[in-house]
PDB file of all heavy atoms in Angstrom:
ATOM      1  N   ARG A 150     107.906  71.662  74.728  1.00  0.00           N
ATOM      2  CA  ARG A 150     109.400  71.727  74.864  1.00  0.00           C
ATOM      3  C   ARG A 150     109.906  73.206  74.544  1.00  0.00           C
ATOM      4  O   ARG A 150     110.947  73.564  75.195  1.00  0.00           O
ATOM      5  CB  ARG A 150     110.049  70.866  73.775  1.00  0.00           C
ATOM      6  CG  ARG A 150     109.814  69.461  74.194  1.00  0.00           C
ATOM      7  CD  ARG A 150     110.957  68.595  73.577  1.00  0.00           C
ATOM      8  NE  ARG A 150     110.751  67.167  73.847  1.00  0.00           N
ATOM      9  CZ  ARG A 150     111.495  66.230  73.183  1.00  0.00           C
ATOM     10  NH1 ARG A 150     112.325  66.575  72.257  1.00  0.00           N
ATOM     11  NH2 ARG A 150     111.314  64.974  73.416  1.00  0.00           N
ATOM     12  N   PHE A 151     109.143  73.926  73.738  1.00  0.00           N
ATOM     13  CA  PHE A 151     109.553  75.297  73.583  1.00  0.00           C
ATOM     14  C   PHE A 151     109.415  76.026  74.860  1.00  0.00           C
ATOM     15  O   PHE A 151     110.376  76.710  75.331  1.00  0.00           O
ATOM     16  CB  PHE A 151     108.589  75.955  72.562  1.00  0.00           C
ATOM     17  CG  PHE A 151     108.881  77.317  72.153  1.00  0.00           C
ATOM     18  CD1 PHE A 151     109.711  77.613  71.137  1.00  0.00           C
ATOM     19  CD2 PHE A 151     108.424  78.363  73.030  1.00  0.00           C
ATOM     20  CE1 PHE A 151     110.007  79.004  70.824  1.00  0.00           C
ATOM     21  CE2 PHE A 151     108.801  79.700  72.615  1.00  0.00           C
ATOM     22  CZ  PHE A 151     109.552  80.001  71.572  1.00  0.00           C
ATOM     23  N   GLY A 152     108.300  75.731  75.586  1.00  0.00           N
ATOM     24  CA  GLY A 152     108.077  76.355  76.877  1.00  0.00           C
ATOM     25  C   GLY A 152     109.255  76.015  77.878  1.00  0.00           C
ATOM     26  O   GLY A 152     109.795  76.800  78.506  1.00  0.00           O
ATOM     27  N   GLN A 153     109.602  74.776  77.816  1.00  0.00           N
ATOM     28  CA  GLN A 153     110.677  74.281  78.708  1.00  0.00           C
ATOM     29  C   GLN A 153     111.988  75.030  78.365  1.00  0.00           C
ATOM     30  O   GLN A 153     112.626  75.480  79.257  1.00  0.00           O
ATOM     31  CB  GLN A 153     110.926  72.803  78.558  1.00  0.00           C
ATOM     32  CG  GLN A 153     109.792  71.960  79.100  1.00  0.00           C
ATOM     33  CD  GLN A 153     109.823  70.497  78.660  1.00  0.00           C
ATOM     34  OE1 GLN A 153     110.765  70.027  78.077  1.00  0.00           O
ATOM     35  NE2 GLN A 153     108.763  69.729  78.975  1.00  0.00           N
ATOM     36  N   ALA A 154     112.311  75.114  77.060  1.00  0.00           N
ATOM     37  CA  ALA A 154     113.551  75.685  76.705  1.00  0.00           C
ATOM     38  C   ALA A 154     113.596  77.197  77.192  1.00  0.00           C
ATOM     39  O   ALA A 154     114.555  77.638  77.671  1.00  0.00           O
ATOM     40  CB  ALA A 154     113.716  75.653  75.159  1.00  0.00           C
ATOM     41  N   VAL A 155     112.504  77.945  76.955  1.00  0.00           N
ATOM     42  CA  VAL A 155     112.434  79.328  77.255  1.00  0.00           C
ATOM     43  C   VAL A 155     112.528  79.593  78.753  1.00  0.00           C
ATOM     44  O   VAL A 155     113.311  80.380  79.254  1.00  0.00           O
ATOM     45  CB  VAL A 155     111.195  80.012  76.686  1.00  0.00           C
ATOM     46  CG1 VAL A 155     111.081  81.460  77.233  1.00  0.00           C
ATOM     47  CG2 VAL A 155     111.391  80.052  75.188  1.00  0.00           C
ATOM     48  N   PHE A 156     111.752  78.762  79.556  1.00  0.00           N
ATOM     49  CA  PHE A 156     111.719  79.042  80.999  1.00  0.00           C
ATOM     50  C   PHE A 156     113.066  78.542  81.615  1.00  0.00           C
ATOM     51  O   PHE A 156     113.527  79.167  82.545  1.00  0.00           O
ATOM     52  CB  PHE A 156     110.566  78.231  81.677  1.00  0.00           C
ATOM     53  CG  PHE A 156     109.237  78.907  81.412  1.00  0.00           C
ATOM     54  CD1 PHE A 156     108.216  78.227  80.815  1.00  0.00           C
ATOM     55  CD2 PHE A 156     109.026  80.153  81.810  1.00  0.00           C
ATOM     56  CE1 PHE A 156     107.022  78.816  80.514  1.00  0.00           C
ATOM     57  CE2 PHE A 156     107.805  80.813  81.614  1.00  0.00           C
ATOM     58  CZ  PHE A 156     106.745  80.158  80.963  1.00  0.00           C
ATOM     59  N   GLU A 157     113.647  77.507  81.052  1.00  0.00           N
ATOM     60  CA  GLU A 157     114.898  77.130  81.584  1.00  0.00           C
ATOM     61  C   GLU A 157     115.938  78.245  81.246  1.00  0.00           C
ATOM     62  O   GLU A 157     116.785  78.560  82.126  1.00  0.00           O
ATOM     63  CB  GLU A 157     115.458  75.871  80.909  1.00  0.00           C
ATOM     64  CG  GLU A 157     115.183  74.621  81.765  1.00  0.00           C
ATOM     65  CD  GLU A 157     115.165  73.350  81.001  1.00  0.00           C
ATOM     66  OE1 GLU A 157     115.844  73.273  79.928  1.00  0.00           O
ATOM     67  OE2 GLU A 157     114.514  72.402  81.365  1.00  0.00           O
ATOM     68  N   ALA A 158     115.974  78.750  80.173  1.00  0.00           N
ATOM     69  CA  ALA A 158     116.930  79.923  79.847  1.00  0.00           C
ATOM     70  C   ALA A 158     116.646  81.002  80.767  1.00  0.00           C
ATOM     71  O   ALA A 158     117.520  81.710  81.218  1.00  0.00           O
ATOM     72  CB  ALA A 158     116.622  80.365  78.298  1.00  0.00           C
ATOM     73  N   SER A 159     115.339  81.314  81.106  1.00  0.00           N
ATOM     74  CA  SER A 159     115.054  82.443  81.950  1.00  0.00           C
ATOM     75  C   SER A 159     115.597  82.154  83.421  1.00  0.00           C
ATOM     76  O   SER A 159     116.201  83.112  83.969  1.00  0.00           O
ATOM     77  CB  SER A 159     113.509  82.608  82.070  1.00  0.00           C
ATOM     78  OG  SER A 159     112.933  82.755  80.806  1.00  0.00           O
ATOM     79  N   VAL A 160     115.378  80.954  83.905  1.00  0.00           N
ATOM     80  CA  VAL A 160     115.846  80.664  85.261  1.00  0.00           C
ATOM     81  C   VAL A 160     117.401  80.738  85.248  1.00  0.00           C
ATOM     82  O   VAL A 160     117.968  81.397  86.110  1.00  0.00           O
ATOM     83  CB  VAL A 160     115.461  79.188  85.702  1.00  0.00           C
ATOM     84  CG1 VAL A 160     116.198  78.827  86.884  1.00  0.00           C
ATOM     85  CG2 VAL A 160     113.917  79.174  85.932  1.00  0.00           C
ATOM     86  N   ASP A 161     118.074  80.132  84.232  1.00  0.00           N
ATOM     87  CA  ASP A 161     119.487  80.224  84.138  1.00  0.00           C
ATOM     88  C   ASP A 161     119.952  81.634  84.137  1.00  0.00           C
ATOM     89  O   ASP A 161     120.937  82.032  84.909  1.00  0.00           O
ATOM     90  CB  ASP A 161     119.987  79.524  82.872  1.00  0.00           C
ATOM     91  CG  ASP A 161     119.952  77.942  83.025  1.00  0.00           C
ATOM     92  OD1 ASP A 161     119.677  77.540  84.084  1.00  0.00           O
ATOM     93  OD2 ASP A 161     120.200  77.340  81.962  1.00  0.00           O
ATOM     94  N   TYR A 162     119.323  82.431  83.369  1.00  0.00           N
ATOM     95  CA  TYR A 162     119.766  83.805  83.282  1.00  0.00           C
ATOM     96  C   TYR A 162     119.668  84.521  84.615  1.00  0.00           C
ATOM     97  O   TYR A 162     120.633  85.201  84.958  1.00  0.00           O
ATOM     98  CB  TYR A 162     118.974  84.546  82.231  1.00  0.00           C
ATOM     99  CG  TYR A 162     119.382  86.057  82.140  1.00  0.00           C
ATOM    100  CD1 TYR A 162     120.510  86.398  81.460  1.00  0.00           C
ATOM    101  CD2 TYR A 162     118.790  87.008  82.884  1.00  0.00           C
ATOM    102  CE1 TYR A 162     120.972  87.697  81.428  1.00  0.00           C
ATOM    103  CE2 TYR A 162     119.181  88.293  82.942  1.00  0.00           C
ATOM    104  CZ  TYR A 162     120.373  88.652  82.212  1.00  0.00           C
ATOM    105  OH  TYR A 162     120.775  89.947  82.209  1.00  0.00           O
ATOM    106  N   LEU A 163     118.490  84.379  85.174  1.00  0.00           N
ATOM    107  CA  LEU A 163     118.336  85.082  86.533  1.00  0.00           C
ATOM    108  C   LEU A 163     119.413  84.584  87.508  1.00  0.00           C
ATOM    109  O   LEU A 163     119.914  85.450  88.276  1.00  0.00           O
ATOM    110  CB  LEU A 163     116.904  84.878  87.046  1.00  0.00           C
ATOM    111  CG  LEU A 163     115.768  85.465  86.207  1.00  0.00           C
ATOM    112  CD1 LEU A 163     114.545  85.292  86.968  1.00  0.00           C
ATOM    113  CD2 LEU A 163     116.025  87.020  86.064  1.00  0.00           C
ATOM    114  N   GLU A 164     119.653  83.308  87.645  1.00  0.00           N
ATOM    115  CA  GLU A 164     120.621  82.831  88.579  1.00  0.00           C
ATOM    116  C   GLU A 164     122.004  83.310  88.308  1.00  0.00           C
ATOM    117  O   GLU A 164     122.763  83.632  89.237  1.00  0.00           O
ATOM    118  CB  GLU A 164     120.548  81.261  88.560  1.00  0.00           C
ATOM    119  CG  GLU A 164     119.354  80.763  89.286  1.00  0.00           C
ATOM    120  CD  GLU A 164     119.190  79.266  89.262  1.00  0.00           C
ATOM    121  OE1 GLU A 164     119.789  78.625  88.500  1.00  0.00           O
ATOM    122  OE2 GLU A 164     118.397  78.759  90.131  1.00  0.00           O
TER     123      GLU A 164
END
Side-chain angles (χ1 to χ4, degrees):
Chain A
R150 290 204 184 169
F151 182 95
Q153 288 166 11
V155 169
F156 285 121
E157 261 161 28
S159 303
V160 170
D161 283 354
Y162 178 82
L163 292 185
E164 284 177 343

